Amino acid sequence: MTTPFRVEARPAPDGVLLAMSDQAATAVTGLFQLVVAVLGRGLLAPTLLRPSGPGSARELVDQLFPDAYPVPADAARFRDRHGAVMRAEVLAATRRVLERWRGAGTAVLDQRAVDDWLMVTGVAQFLFVERTKDVPPGQSESTESAQQRTLAALRSEIMRAACPELTPELRPVFARYCAVPSTWSN
Amino acid sequence: MDTGRRNGSTRRADTPCVAWLVDVVDDDVNTMLGVTYVLHRWCGLAVPDAARLMIQVNDAGSAEVARFDTQDEAERLVVRLATQGLHATVRSAG
């Protein structure tokens, strides 16, 4: 019998207390290991292939870090200047998270660890979805975005715990947008 | 060459006359909470100001979140925001 998928985070005296079910921890570990495979070894895992998605690891990495300039030549020069650093930072953060967390059911994250978790989850989302979704009306989102939803839920939990003042500040904003179709969720 | 003499003042030749702006661009993935948090944490914005800019990103498609005297400084922030999962861009105001 499997445990239900559960991720919770709460403020703690030393930072953020993160708790996960075994199922969630296994899933999240797998997602982070994919990040290491892509950024560390340049691998395009079969699970990341999708009909309209990137055809190579290089394209996938470019998708993770979108153009910083509208002119392609300027964007290319930006990648030349900063691409390696960005990939290295995210890879290093992912390795730190995996090394320190080791899939534990509970963990206390200090600010540095919170920053690492949010960096990894923030970038890793784009392994599974593109920034602009193109889901025709009436059709459900493709199954691979379940991984992105897992990462998004994890991000939200950690952010709310790390910065509790966000929730009361954003509640009226959420209320304003709930009635309006929006691509941004709570 | 314009030496920048205005009302008796002079401007150094290397005084930047172009501002470099960083914009955050909307996408279909990042949440309102996520964008607000990143702007608060990494752009030095108070939560209400970060929320206000997030709403602008959502409503208008993008928002200027910072401006710098040099392109290098602007690109450093873009790198920071990109490694947090946001789409940020650089443009000059001059």
Side-chain angles (χ1 to χ4, degrees), chain B residues 51-87:
Chain B
R52 177 180 54 79
L53 283 174
M54 174 277 293
I55 292 169
Q56 188 177 339
V57 173
N58 187 65
D59 289 351
S62 69
E64 176 191 326
V65 300
R67 58 174 56 201
F68 298 94
D69 290 336
T70 68
Q71 188 176 11
D72 275 350
E73 291 173 291
E75 289 194 353
R76 276 202 290 275
L77 180 59
V78 168
V79 167
R80 170 63 70 189
L81 297 176
T83 56
Q84 298 296 318
L86 298 193
H87 184 185

Side-chain angles (χ1 to χ4, degrees), chain A residues 1 23 48 50 97 107 120 147 161 163 183:
Chain A
M1 182 165 58
Q23 183 186 25
L48 299 178
R50 51 186 184 271
V97 168
V120 177
Q147 291 95 329
C163 188
T183 54

Side-chain angles (χ1 to χ4, degrees), chain A residues 69 81-82 115 177 184, chain B residues 26-28 41 59 75 87:
Chain A
Y69 290 89
R81 285 193 291 274
H82 302 291
D115 289 343
Y177 282 91
W184 282 24
Chain B
D26 190 16
D27 64 44
D28 293 338
R41 176 78 178 98
D59 289 351
E75 289 194 353
H87 184 185

Side-chain angles (χ1 to χ4, degrees), chain A:
Chain A
M1 182 165 58
T2 59
T3 56
F5 190 99
R6 181 181 60 86
V7 174
E8 291 174 353
R10 290 197 302 273
D14 298 332
V16 168
L17 175 63
L18 179 64
M20 282 190 221
S21 63
D22 289 344
Q23 183 186 25
T26 299
V28 172
T29 299
L31 297 178
F32 289 176
Q33 288 172 340
L34 270 178
V35 175
V36 173
V38 171
L39 293 180
R41 299 193 292 275
L43 298 177
L44 184 59
T47 52
L48 299 178
L49 293 172
R50 51 186 184 271
S52 62
S56 68
R58 177 57 187 266
E59 288 179 16
L60 182 57
V61 172
D62 285 349
Q63 182 173 290
L64 296 180
F65 305 110
D67 289 342
Y69 290 89
V71 175
D74 293 337
R77 280 190 286 271
F78 178 91
R79 288 186 198 282
D80 288 343
R81 285 193 291 274
H82 302 291
V85 168
M86 290 192 291
R87 292 191 297 274
E89 279 193 25
V90 177
L91 178 60
T94 310
R95 285 175 169 156
R96 282 194 299 268
V97 168
L98 287 169
E99 174 62 27
R100 292 173 185 169
W101 172 51
R102 296 182 181 275
T106 59
V108 176
L109 311 182
D110 59 17
Q111 184 64 67
R112 175 69 185 270
V114 166
D115 289 343
D116 280 348
W117 277 80
L118 293 179
M119 175 182 285
V120 177
T121 54
V123 172
Q125 297 181 103
F126 299 101
L127 290 176
F128 308 103
V129 293
E130 294 171 27
R131 283 179 196 268
T132 304
K133 295 177 184 175
D134 190 17
V135 180
Q139 292 190 20
S140 60
E141 294 179 10
S142 56
T143 55
E144 61 260 22
S145 68
Q147 291 95 329
Q148 184 272 324
R149 288 197 295 272
T150 296
L151 293 166
L154 180 55
R155 279 174 70 69
S156 291
E157 281 291 312
I158 295 174
M159 286 176 179
R160 285 195 182 104
C163 188
E165 61 266 41
L166 278 174
T167 301
E169 181 68 33
L170 292 177
R171 191 170 289 122
V173 177
F174 294 161
R176 170 184 159 193
Y177 282 91
C178 270
V180 177
S182 170
T183 54
W184 282 24
S185 66
N186 289 350

